[in-house]
Amino acid sequence: MEYLVKFRFIFYKTFVLIYLLFCTNVSTADDEISFGIALGRGIMENVSGLHTPVTGNAGTNIKGLVLDDDSLNTNISLNIDYNKKLKDDIYLNSGISLVKHNTTDTTITFDGGFNSAFPDIYFYGLVFDLGPSYRFNSISNLTPYATLNTTYFFGRQSDTQYEGPRYGEGGPHTNVRCLGVSPNLGFFVNSGFLKGYGFSVERLLLECENDQIRSMENGYEADFDITQYRIDYRIPF
């Protein structure tokens, strides 16, 4: 239910932004398309799901767990963004990214203290962004900006194997669905030899509801918090 409430919020926000884009008198000049690549580092935390009994935590119930090394890294993120000028220095940003994240080979500790092996997981899929962006006054030939996107990640996770000789290796790839926000601060070069090139720092703050992973056969919830560092090139038209 909480996920549906968040989805409705995203839907209404998207509707309002689309209305502003197509149904109001916005500028048709200075629109941009950009192409970028990013790497990043972050964490996966607040992991919990229905689980069978373990030492120190009897019963089949919702169990939380902590990764001994909670690193969640961005191996690569390739993106295309479209910036629509609305008015003065206000733009509407919409983007799509092809991403791949992974945990670090580690162990986990359940509520109650039981410790278990936890081979790494790869998360891959598409990230959709939509939100307002504001351009600040230029400093020399650099234009700084700030963006606040609503973000939806839909993808898959690897190495879900539970029963079998090699726990956590192989198995069907199951769905990952995340919703959140992505504040972004950056700048781009507006003149000179490097005109169009830019750099930004983006923070992905996502709440995820994921399908089966290993012994959590009914799925699990987790939060992703990843800081990404992106180089891009933008083309005005």
Side-chain angles (χ1 to χ4, degrees):
M1 183 62 68
E2 182 182 356
Y3 191 83
L4 291 177
V5 172
K6 293 176 183 176
F7 183 81
R8 291 192 190 101
F9 171 76
I10 299 301
F11 175 81
Y12 292 138
K13 180 178 178 180
T14 302
F15 177 81
V16 170
L17 290 171
I18 291 175
Y19 174 82
L20 290 172
L21 178 61
F22 293 105
C23 302
T24 61
N25 184 23
V26 298
S27 171
T28 57
D30 300 321
D31 294 350
E32 298 169 344
I33 188 169
S34 67
F35 305 89
I37 183 171
L39 301 174
R41 297 182 63 86
I43 59 174
M44 181 170 74
E45 59 184 353
N46 301 323
V47 181
S48 65
L50 187 67
H51 198 282
T52 52
V54 297
T55 302
N57 192 333
T60 299
N61 51 29
I62 301 296
K63 292 179 171 62
L65 60 86
V66 176
L67 284 73
D68 292 5
D69 180 350
D70 59 6
S71 298
L72 181 63
N73 300 323
T74 300
N75 299 105
I76 192 168
S77 171
L78 301 173
N79 73 288
I80 300 177
D81 278 54
Y82 172 55
N83 289 299
K84 174 70 178 178
K85 187 171 184 178
L86 299 178
K87 185 178 180 181
D88 298 329
D89 295 315
I90 301 174
Y91 286 73
L92 175 65
N93 173 259
S94 56
I96 183 170
S97 304
L98 178 65
V99 302
K100 185 177 182 181
H101 309 293
N102 76 287
T103 62
T104 302
D105 187 41
T106 184
T107 58
I108 57 175
T109 301
F110 285 93
D111 293 342
F114 178 72
N115 193 259
S116 173
F118 194 77
D120 56 343
I121 307 171
Y122 287 90
F123 302 92
Y124 62 93
L126 295 174
V127 172
F128 302 92
D129 289 313
L130 184 66
S133 181
Y134 181 76
R135 306 283 171 87
F136 299 97
N137 292 333
S138 294
I139 304 171
S140 184
N141 66 335
L142 303 179
T143 300
Y145 63 88
T147 304
L148 180 60
N149 280 324
T150 297
T151 299
Y152 178 68
F153 172 42
F154 179 76
R156 310 275 274 178
Q157 57 188 348
S158 71
D159 299 295
T160 63
Q161 185 69 40
Y162 177 34
E163 297 181 349
R166 300 177 71 94
Y167 170 82
E169 296 184 25
H173 289 199
T174 56
N175 290 333
V176 174
R177 297 170 297 274
C178 305
L179 197 60
V181 295
S182 299
N184 184 329
L185 292 174
F187 66 87
F188 62 89
V189 181
N190 56 45
S191 63
F193 179 70
L194 295 177
K195 181 179 179 180
Y197 285 96
F199 176 79
S200 65
V201 179
E202 175 186 54
R203 189 174 180 186
L204 299 177
L205 299 169
L206 302 175
E207 295 183 5
C208 303
E209 293 188 1
N210 305 334
D211 289 347
Q212 180 264 335
I213 183 75
R214 301 165 188 169
S215 50
M216 289 183 170
E217 297 183 272
N218 292 289
Y220 68 102
E221 297 180 351
D223 294 338
F224 293 175
D225 183 348
I226 307 172
T227 300
Q228 297 188 147
Y229 305 91
R230 189 177 306 277
I231 297 174
D232 59 28
Y233 180 74
R234 64 190 62 223
I235 304 170
F237 61 92

